[in-house]
Amino acid sequence: MINIKSKIYIAGHSGLVGSAIYRKLKSNGFKKLFVKSRRDLDLNDQKKVLSYLKKIKPNFIFIAAAKVGGVYANNTLKAEFIYNNLNIQNNLIHSAYLAGIKNLIFLGSSCIYSLNAKQPMKEKDILCGPLEKTNEPYAIAKIAGIKMCESYNYQYGTNYRCLMPTNTFGQNDKYDTLNSHFIPSLIKKIYEIEKKNKNEITLWGDGTPKREIIYVDDIADACIYFMNKKTSHSLINIGTGKEDTIKGIAQLFLKTLIPEKKIQIKFDKSKPNGIKRKVLDTSLAKRYGWTAKNEIKKAIIDTYINFKLLKANSK
């Protein structure tokens, strides 16, 4: 069981999910937390990864390191997405095994499920059909990571579990206009509306695809919860079970962050929609006793405050 004396390595500690795991552990009194910047440890280098893990000998590993991006990045950097993600997860999972580390959580994404998967998507639906083309290389890498964990558990008796979060937002997200996910891109556009006193916003697609969103602090909570929980499943969906259209989500963010402004939402239909509907079945996580707890409007406000601080500090 994980406790405050445990040695814990967080791969990807500066990213969206990794930094939330780090904050959560730190606030809960954990002191033996190990992190390395990309400059100090190249996760593409298996020899260096193995050497580091053998040196620090952590009791637990959280793998939140990955090359991530939105529809544009996934659709234009296909080779980088599959190569880097396969490399990173292979090196970490295999090196963990070689270093004798039994407990690991591998974070994936809801994009592992088929384009035609029945909604809401259950864990058993993995590999049930073709993937959405715009993020297929990333999804294939994540599926490989899941199967790698399952295979090591079967052959070597490890306790490597895979958590599949839905669309996540929160502190330390990437806010690049072209390469970020929908939510950080939306937050950046709202900031520009507020700053430049605009009265309209343009979103990709037609606004009809349905999405489920979750605050990153809930993901961090799930990671620690399931590292402490004995489970007979190696793959568990992490989400809220609630969905809305892209247009509805945009309206929620606008009303929450700039309620005094009347903003017209326009859609660029020349840009891709992505998958039409994507919501996770979270009944398995609930059976194990975990549910998302953060109130969505407060989470949106906290994320926006953090974004403004990042903007202020970057000047």
Side-chain angles (χ1 to χ4, degrees):
M1 295 286 284
I2 196 168
N3 58 63
I4 57 171
K5 292 182 180 179
S6 300
K7 294 169 73 175
I8 303 164
Y9 169 52
I10 306 162
H13 74 286
S14 62
L16 174 63
V17 177
S19 63
I21 295 170
Y22 183 83
R23 287 194 308 272
K24 183 83 173 173
L25 288 167
K26 195 116 177 143
S27 68
N28 286 350
F30 289 82
K31 292 182 172 60
K32 296 180 180 179
L33 304 178
F34 294 85
V35 297
K36 279 279 184 182
S37 69
R38 192 178 304 171
R39 183 185 60 196
D40 295 328
L41 179 63
D42 181 3
L43 296 178
N44 281 290
D45 189 322
Q46 189 177 36
K47 285 184 179 179
K48 288 181 179 177
V49 172
L50 178 58
S51 175
Y52 179 67
L53 292 184
K54 281 185 172 180
K55 180 183 174 183
I56 65 170
K57 295 179 182 176
N59 306 108
F60 301 90
I61 296 177
F62 292 99
I63 301 179
K67 182 173 181 63
V68 297
V71 173
Y72 178 83
N74 274 282
N75 212 21
T76 55
L77 304 173
K78 291 177 182 286
E80 290 180 35
F81 271 80
I82 194 163
Y83 176 79
N84 282 285
N85 283 301
L86 284 171
N87 251 0
I88 289 166
Q89 64 202 36
N90 286 351
N91 292 344
L92 285 164
I93 295 166
H94 187 60
S95 295
Y97 159 68
L98 292 176
I101 299 154
K102 291 284 188 179
N103 297 292
L104 176 153
I105 281 185
F106 171 70
L107 282 147
S109 162
S110 58
C111 72
I112 63 164
Y113 294 110
S114 164
L115 177 66
N116 304 315
K118 186 179 176 183
Q119 303 283 335
M121 301 175 290
K122 296 178 180 288
E123 289 84 353
K124 67 179 180 61
D125 294 331
I126 188 173
L127 295 175
C128 73
L131 299 163
E132 209 280 319
K133 281 293 178 185
T134 57
N135 59 14
E136 185 181 63
Y138 178 78
I140 286 172
K142 289 299 177 182
I143 291 167
I146 293 164
K147 292 303 174 183
M148 190 174 184
C149 288
E150 287 179 356
S151 299
Y152 278 51
N153 291 343
Y154 175 82
Q155 188 170 346
Y156 302 130
T158 50
N159 185 33
Y160 296 169
R161 278 163 291 175
C162 310
L163 301 186
M164 295 301 115
T166 190
N167 299 282
T168 308
F169 73 96
Q171 295 183 42
N172 294 325
D173 212 335
K174 291 186 176 180
Y175 293 97
D176 180 89
T177 304
L178 275 178
N179 295 323
S180 62
H181 285 104
F182 165 58
I183 297 296
S185 177
L186 175 63
I187 285 172
K188 188 175 181 182
K189 288 175 180 178
I190 291 172
Y191 174 78
E192 288 170 355
I193 284 173
E194 189 178 29
K195 190 178 179 184
K196 298 175 183 177
N197 202 26
K198 293 182 178 180
N199 60 4
E200 65 178 44
I201 188 171
T202 302
L203 305 177
W204 281 24
D206 61 14
T208 61
K210 291 187 174 180
R211 293 292 182 267
E212 171 190 13
I213 62 172
I214 191 169
Y215 188 44
V216 73
D217 285 19
D218 280 317
I219 303 298
D221 180 67
C223 286
I224 297 163
Y225 181 87
F226 281 105
M227 191 67 96
N228 255 333
K229 191 80 176 173
K230 221 174 185 181
T231 70
S232 55
H233 298 82
S234 58
L235 173 60
I236 301 171
N237 288 337
I238 303 298
T240 63
K242 299 171 184 176
E243 64 181 331
D244 199 353
T245 62
I246 293 291
K247 183 178 181 180
I249 293 169
Q251 288 172 333
L252 172 64
F253 272 71
L254 286 164
K255 287 175 184 175
T256 302
L257 297 176
I258 45 175
E260 71 284 356
K261 285 181 174 285
K262 191 173 181 180
I263 306 299
Q264 182 184 4
I265 301 174
K266 292 186 174 181
F267 295 96
D268 183 352
K269 295 180 182 178
S270 69
K271 298 293 193 299
N273 266 326
I275 196 166
K276 200 68 182 167
R277 185 183 179 212
K278 191 164 70 167
V279 60
L280 292 175
D281 184 313
T282 57
S283 56
L284 181 59
K286 287 177 183 175
R287 282 210 325 257
Y288 281 119
W290 184 88
T291 55
K293 299 170 186 67
N294 282 279
E295 198 274 318
I296 190 70
K297 287 188 177 180
K298 183 180 184 305
I300 290 169
I301 292 166
D302 288 348
T303 301
Y304 195 53
I305 290 169
N306 177 254
F307 171 73
K308 285 184 168 181
L309 284 172
L310 289 174
K311 290 292 289 184
N313 291 335
S314 66
K315 290 179 181 178

